[in-house]
Structure formats: structure tokens, C-alpha cells
């Protein structure tokens, strides 16, 4: 066992879809194995010896970053012009939060469904997956994220659904588009995608009273190998986490599984943004932490929630723009995210947003 710092985490609202809220943390001590505790000025630090594999991966990551920096300097992300919200036909059912700029409270009720509810969740998830797949075909140099938003919006409303991010706590667009160092909650604007960019597109649809929530990080043009590896490992983290989910499994195993793989490849797991229950409401308990934690709680057959890890090449610290949504890595390092809505079954988990 490795020594670590664990986190007692309580959810507090922050901003937008994908997570649309954050987890703030209180650090406490948790140790085991070969850990060495160091106390200095009332701060407890737990260190551990890296395995040979982890040290090799750390050195590889350092060399990759140096090579990538020499190859090209990526300019920092800048906000473009944001157009107004797009209209939704009156006959389309809207979530209860539409029409108010207040950020809804996280529901304390887990989203556990009967047979009819499961069927509706599957329909919402299937539509979200199709929309996301379509959005990915639009990713290429010189396309703006605003153009992606317009195309996604049209596909969703044409299917008789509502784009869940639109109007959630005042969010002005129908999809989140997070480019390069943007961790999440990027607002579509007039910025053109550039060759070598990566972009996470986060789609949530509200269909027949149920939300389906999913996201994927896409490559734009010719992307360098270190960045491709970040994207690949992030997606693998999501699927490794899903693989251990089933009725009776503790939620904390998700964070452990993701952290083990990310650390092995020298990447950092963002702690601030979390997965969540999803169903009749956009965000509910359980809060799904993607980093190591000791939070209580067990999965129940028939419940639905998202898993949506964000990995970075550098720091997990972040800054949020004045729009109160767009959140970037503090050091400008690249970030990638993948997300699925899953249904817990007796013997496993069914991906409802499989793309």
C-alpha cells in the first residue's frame, strides 16, 4: 500500500455542466505502507517512495514535455465573442431551472429508477451519445466553438429534446466546449480551433423528463504525441473506473482506480470537479470523486450517475474567468476529460451514453 493524503470532501456549487459544480476539499492525514509523515507548522505532509515504473514514467513525461515545448509554443487560451442564447421551440419540455439564473441545489436523492425510468434514461443517453458523435465530426481547424454549439443545439431540438446546459445557473449556451488548458465549462465563442488543439465537448440532453450526460475530448488536426497520450490515458481511466462498478461496490473505488492509472502515466487528477447522480434532475447525490478518497457510500442496482475524470499534464490548481464558468489550469498545462452516464446493475454497469 502507498501512503497518501486523503480528502474529506463536501460538495459546494460552482459552475456548469460536465460537473456544473465542484467539490471543495479539507485535507487530513491517511497513511499506510512505506509512508513517512512530516509535520511542519501544523501542516501534515505524507511522502512515499516512487516505484521503479512510476519513476520511469515521470522521467518520460518530463522529456515529452520538454520536447513538446521546443516543438511549438501554444498561445494561451483567450476568450472570443460570445453570441446570444439560441431559441428553443415552445412545445419542447424544459427542465425546472430554466428561466432563473439561480444555480440549483444538488438534490440529495439518488437517481434510482423503475423499468420505465430506465427506458427513458436509455433514450436520453442514446440521444446524447449521437449528438456528441456528430459534434466530433465538426472538429477541425478554423471551425469556431460557436458553430459547434449551433449545430449541436439544432440536432437536440430537432429530436424534441432540450439542451440541458442552456440556462442552467445562467449558462448562455447549449453545450460546453473546453479547449486545450480549459479543464471544463468552456463557453462556445468566436475563437477558431487551431491545428494541434484538443477540445472537450460536453453534451447533456433533457428528453421526456430525463437527462443524459456525456463528454469526450477530440483531437483537432495534427496533435503531438504527448497530448495524444494524455487524451488516451484519460479515456482509459474512465473505462477502468466503469469496469469495477456494480451493485454493492463502494464509490471510493472509482477514485482509487482512476488515480492508480493516471499516476502510473505521470498525469494529475483534478479534484475540484466531480461526477454526480443524473436522471430526472441534472445533478444529485452521489458525488463521484475521481481522486483517492475515503468517502462512504455504495452503489445500488437501478441508479444512474456520471463518471467524468479530468487529467492534466501539470498542475491541478485552476483559475476561473470572469464569466464564472470557464476554468483553466493555473499553469497553462493541457487538460483532457471523458464522461459517461452509467446504470448500475446487479453484475456490472451499463453505459447509457456509449459513443
Amino acid at each position: 500500500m502507498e501512503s497518501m493524503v486523503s480528502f474529506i470532501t463536501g460538495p459546494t456549487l460552482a459552475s456548469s455542466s460536465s460537473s456544473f459544480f465542484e467539490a471543495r476539499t479539507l485535507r487530513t492525514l491517511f497513511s499506510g505502507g512505506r509512508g513517512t509523515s512530516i509535520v511542519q507548522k501544523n501542516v501534515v505532509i505524507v511522502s512515499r517512495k516512487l516505484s521503479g515504473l512510476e519513476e520511469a514514467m515521470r522521467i518520460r513525461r518530463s522529456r515529452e514535455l520538454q520536447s513538446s515545448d521546443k516543438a511549438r509554443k501554444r498561445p494561451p487560451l483567450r476568450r472570443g465573442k460570445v453570441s446570444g442564447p439560441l431559441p428553443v421551440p415552445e412545445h419542447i419540455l424544459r427542465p425546472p431551472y430554466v428561466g432563473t439564473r439561480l444555480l440549483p441545489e444538488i438534490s440529495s436523492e439518488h437517481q434510482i429508477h423503475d423499468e420505465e425510468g430506465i427506458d427513458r434514461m436509455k433514450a436520453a443517453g442514446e440521444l446524447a451519445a449521437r449528438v456528441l458523435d456528430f459534434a466530433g465530426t465538426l472538429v477541425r481547424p478554423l471551425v469556431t466553438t460557436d458553430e459547434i454549439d449551433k449545430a449541436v443545439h439544432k440536432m437536440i431540438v430537432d429530436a424534441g429534446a432540450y439542451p440541458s446546459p442552456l440556462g442552467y445557473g445562467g449558462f448562455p449556451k447549449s453545450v460546453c466546449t473546453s479547449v486545450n488548458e480549459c479543464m471544463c465549462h468552456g463557453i462556445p465563442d468566436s475563437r477558431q480551433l487551431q491545428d494541434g488543439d484538443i477540445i472537450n465537448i460536453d453534451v447533456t440532453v433533457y428528453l421526456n423528463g430525463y437527462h443524459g450526460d456525456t463528454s469526450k475530448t477530440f483531437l483537432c488536426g495534427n496533435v503531438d504525441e504527448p497530448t495524444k497520450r494524455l487524451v488516451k490515458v484519460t479515456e482509459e481511466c474512465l473505462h477502468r473506473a466503469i469496469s469495477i462498478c456494480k451493485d454493492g461496490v463502494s464509490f471510493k473505488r472509482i477514485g482509487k482506480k482512476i488515480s492508480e492509472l493516471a499516476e502510473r502515466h505521470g498525469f494529475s487528477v483534478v479534484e475540484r470537479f466531480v461526477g454526480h447522480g443524473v436522471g430526472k434532475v441534472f445533478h444529485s447525490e452521489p458525488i463521484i470523486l475521481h481522486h483517492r478518497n475515503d468517502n462512504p457510500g455504495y452503489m445500488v442496482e437501478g441508479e444512474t450517475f456520471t463518471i467524468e475524470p479530468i487529467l492534466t499534464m501539470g498542475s491541478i490548481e485552476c483559475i476561473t474567468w470572469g464569466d464564472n464558468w470557464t476554468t483553466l489550469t493555473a499553469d497553462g498545462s493541457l487538460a483532457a476529460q471523458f464522461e459517461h452516464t452509467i446504470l448500475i446493475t446487479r453484475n456490472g454497469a451499463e453505459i447509457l451514453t456509449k459513443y
Side-chain angles (χ1 to χ4, degrees), residues 244-261:
I244 57 95
C245 293
K246 65 178 181 179
D247 181 55
V249 170
S250 62
F251 291 111
K252 65 185 179 183
R253 288 188 60 191
I254 292 173
K256 182 174 185 292
K257 201 73 173 177
I258 291 170
S259 295
E260 287 174 346
L261 182 60

Side-chain angles (χ1 to χ4, degrees), residues 53-71:
L53 176 60
E54 287 175 310
E55 178 64 12
M57 293 304 299
R58 186 192 66 78
I59 294 171
R60 175 181 169 181
R61 282 277 300 111
S62 177
R63 288 173 178 170
E64 284 181 342
L65 288 174
Q66 290 174 6
S67 175
S68 179
D69 288 343
K70 289 176 182 177

Side-chain angles (χ1 to χ4, degrees), residues 79-85 146 172-173 187-191 323:
R79 184 178 183 181
K81 183 179 179 181
V82 178
S83 60
D146 193 54
K173 307 299 278 185
I187 297 175
D189 60 22
S190 62
R191 180 191 182 275
D323 58 26

Side-chain angles (χ1 to χ4, degrees), residues 163-182:
S164 302
L166 184 61
Y168 183 88
F171 192 80
K173 307 299 278 185
S174 298
V175 67
C176 292
T177 52
S178 302
V179 178
N180 294 338
E181 69 266 34
C182 184

Side-chain angles (χ1 to χ4, degrees), residues 97-132:
Y97 53 77
V98 174
T100 173
R101 294 183 65 84
L102 296 176
L103 203 61
E105 294 289 334
I106 300 171
S107 172
S108 61
E109 295 184 9
H110 289 223
Q111 302 298 291
I112 302 173
H113 310 279
D114 57 17
E115 188 173 336
E116 180 183 1
I118 289 174
D119 287 341
R120 292 194 176 195
M121 281 299 300
K122 288 182 176 180
E126 189 271 337
L127 175 59
R130 282 196 291 114
V131 172
L132 181 62

Side-chain angles (χ1 to χ4, degrees), residues 28-227:
T28 59
L29 175 65
F30 178 86
S31 63
R34 299 187 301 275
T36 304
S37 298
I38 307 167
V39 181
Q40 185 177 14
K41 296 183 179 180
N42 297 322
V43 176
V44 180
I45 301 172
V46 180
S47 64
R48 64 178 173 81
K49 183 179 180 180
L50 291 176
S51 70
L53 176 60
E54 287 175 310
E55 178 64 12
M57 293 304 299
R58 186 192 66 78
I59 294 171
R60 175 181 169 181
R61 282 277 300 111
S62 177
R63 288 173 178 170
E64 284 181 342
L65 288 174
Q66 290 174 6
S67 175
S68 179
D69 288 343
K70 289 176 182 177
R72 67 185 182 92
K73 291 290 186 180
R74 179 183 287 106
L77 192 64
R78 298 287 184 234
R79 184 178 183 181
K81 183 179 179 181
V82 178
S83 60
L86 296 170
V88 177
E90 288 299 323
H91 71 275
I92 290 178
L93 181 65
R94 287 150 166 76
Y97 53 77
V98 174
T100 173
R101 294 183 65 84
L102 296 176
L103 203 61
E105 294 289 334
I106 300 171
S107 172
S108 61
E109 295 184 9
H110 289 223
Q111 302 298 291
I112 302 173
H113 310 279
D114 57 17
E115 188 173 336
E116 180 183 1
I118 289 174
D119 287 341
R120 292 194 176 195
M121 281 299 300
K122 288 182 176 180
E126 189 271 337
L127 175 59
R130 282 196 291 114
V131 172
L132 181 62
D133 186 62
F134 167 67
T137 67
L138 305 176
V139 174
R140 58 184 179 273
L142 303 184
V143 170
T144 69
T145 51
D146 193 54
E147 290 173 316
I148 293 174
D149 177 75
K150 289 176 180 176
V152 164
H153 179 91
K154 184 178 187 304
M155 184 173 180
I156 293 172
V157 298
D158 284 352
Y162 185 90
S164 302
L166 184 61
Y168 183 88
F171 192 80
K173 307 299 278 185
S174 298
V175 67
C176 292
T177 52
S178 302
V179 178
N180 294 338
E181 69 266 34
C182 184
M183 289 181 174
C184 57
H185 306 162
I187 297 175
D189 60 22
S190 62
R191 180 191 182 275
Q192 293 180 326
L193 294 176
Q194 303 299 310
D195 186 58
D197 281 350
I198 57 174
I199 175 174
N200 176 272
I201 301 177
D202 191 333
V203 171
T204 311
V205 304
Y206 185 66
L207 179 65
N208 297 323
Y210 289 77
H211 297 271
D213 191 2
T214 186
S215 85
K216 180 177 182 177
T217 298
F218 296 93
L219 309 179
C220 181
N222 300 302
V223 175
D224 62 47
E225 289 304 316
T227 304

